Amino acid sequence: MTSELGPRYSFKSIKTCNMCGSGPEQHDLMGQRLNGSQGSRPWKKKGVTTSVQKCKRCKLIFSDPMPIPLDLQDHYGVPPENYWVDGYFKVEENYFGHNLNRFRSLMEFKPGMTALDVGAGIGKAMIALNKAGFDTYGFEPSEPFRSRAIERMGIDPDRIQLGDIESIEYPEGKFDLISFGAVLEHLYDPSFCLGKAMRWLKPGGLVQIEVPSSQWLIHRLINASYAIRGSNYVANLSPMHPPYHLHEFGVKSFEENGKVNGYGIAFHEFYICQTFMPSILDGPLKWIMRRSGTGMQLSIWLRKS
């Protein structure tokens, strides 16, 4: 359901931090975020903004009010060919290999262990998990992506459901591993979804998550450049334009949420990724991020209590 201006939204006021439950007195207003790419001078662009808040207790970053599209397919019902060239449909030999090695370092692998890929996309991680010996399942909320997983990638349609985590169901204690690769930041209620995943997980099982870090150095530098010029805009999040990030997370976000949903942190690391800055600054910035734990992406492993 779109208009000439794009998707239509309702706006939900956020009363408590989704991950730790803190109230408004623990939330700092960071600034405003446009419903489009901001560039270096967002104050010169037209658009709709939403406020961006940061929880002082657990470092979760979120928008308040939260923009919710009247139809989620306005965001995610786009054919995958619109994003990637044909090479994207090839599964590299070591695809998901780093995560598989990490799993084996945290838990003894036994053939036939069960795995679930949340937001399976076109099924590349499912293929890698199958090759590694897992009995693998997945689900995907985008109909075009699920169709490509079946038609182009050969995924068994009985193994990949169409739906979102709020509506999908699996038996309790079914899985040894559940993967959220670039998913949790898109969910409107990540704590609820983590709680649901923990019900599906076996005791001692692992959840693998990759999310944008709320401590990313580049965002902090951009925000400082906006502030120096007297602007209250921030670079964090993108709730109303691709890639539709609704949250950024800190390690503390998961430490606090584990008290609610019954898990502990088994391991975490930060991926540096791109800097999107002039090439002359690339090396120094990556060195700082590596030393200070301020890379773009947080990879975190959760173990069910």
Side-chain angles (χ1 to χ4, degrees), residues 100-118:
L100 289 167
N101 290 336
R102 181 63 61 196
F103 176 86
R104 294 186 185 100
S105 75
L106 297 172
M107 179 182 289
E108 181 185 358
F109 175 76
K110 299 176 182 178
M113 278 184 159
T114 50
L116 174 69
D117 190 23
V118 177

Side-chain angles (χ1 to χ4, degrees), residues 33-50:
R33 189 62 165 89
L34 265 178
N35 62 332
S37 177
Q38 294 190 149
S40 61
R41 295 178 176 84
W43 52 88
K44 290 184 174 289
K45 296 188 175 184
K46 294 181 179 180
V48 177
T49 68
T50 188

Side-chain angles (χ1 to χ4, degrees), residues 47-117:
V48 177
T49 68
T50 188
S51 299
V52 175
Q53 304 264 7
K54 185 172 186 176
C55 175
K56 290 186 285 188
R57 180 189 293 173
C58 80
K59 310 306 180 187
L60 183 75
I61 294 177
F62 56 94
S63 62
D64 182 15
M66 183 78 72
I68 302 174
L70 300 188
D71 187 344
L72 278 177
Q73 292 303 314
D74 287 345
H75 283 185
Y76 303 115
V78 179
E81 288 85 355
N82 285 19
Y83 291 110
W84 297 289
V85 296
D86 279 347
Y88 180 74
F89 292 89
K90 297 176 182 177
V91 183
E92 300 296 330
E93 182 66 28
N94 199 39
Y95 186 85
F96 209 68
H98 179 75
N99 288 322
L100 289 167
N101 290 336
R102 181 63 61 196
F103 176 86
R104 294 186 185 100
S105 75
L106 297 172
M107 179 182 289
E108 181 185 358
F109 175 76
K110 299 176 182 178
M113 278 184 159
T114 50
L116 174 69
D117 190 23

Side-chain angles (χ1 to χ4, degrees), residues 37 124 142 161 181 199 226 233-234 274 285:
S37 177
K124 294 171 78 170
S142 166
Q161 295 191 57
R199 292 198 299 274
Y226 289 161
Y233 281 89
V234 292
Q274 294 175 269
L285 288 172

Side-chain angles (χ1 to χ4, degrees), residues 17 22-31 51-64 213-216 220 223 236-237 248-250 253:
C17 171
S22 65
E25 71 282 354
Q26 289 288 324
H27 304 163
D28 276 341
L29 176 63
M30 296 180 67
S51 299
V52 175
Q53 304 264 7
K54 185 172 186 176
C55 175
K56 290 186 285 188
R57 180 189 293 173
C58 80
K59 310 306 180 187
L60 183 75
I61 294 177
F62 56 94
S63 62
D64 182 15
S213 169
S214 59
Q215 298 297 106
W216 188 31
R220 293 158 73 179
N223 292 350
N236 306 81
L237 309 182
E248 295 173 8
F249 300 81
S253 306

Side-chain angles (χ1 to χ4, degrees), residues 18-19 58-61 184-187 190 194 211-215 247-254 270 298:
N18 184 267
M19 292 293 280
C58 80
K59 310 306 180 187
L60 183 75
I61 294 177
L184 207 64
E185 65 268 30
H186 300 282
L187 302 179
L194 286 171
V211 286
S213 169
S214 59
Q215 298 297 106
H247 300 91
E248 295 173 8
F249 300 81
V251 175
K252 189 73 172 175
S253 306
F254 295 97
F270 293 95
L298 168 62

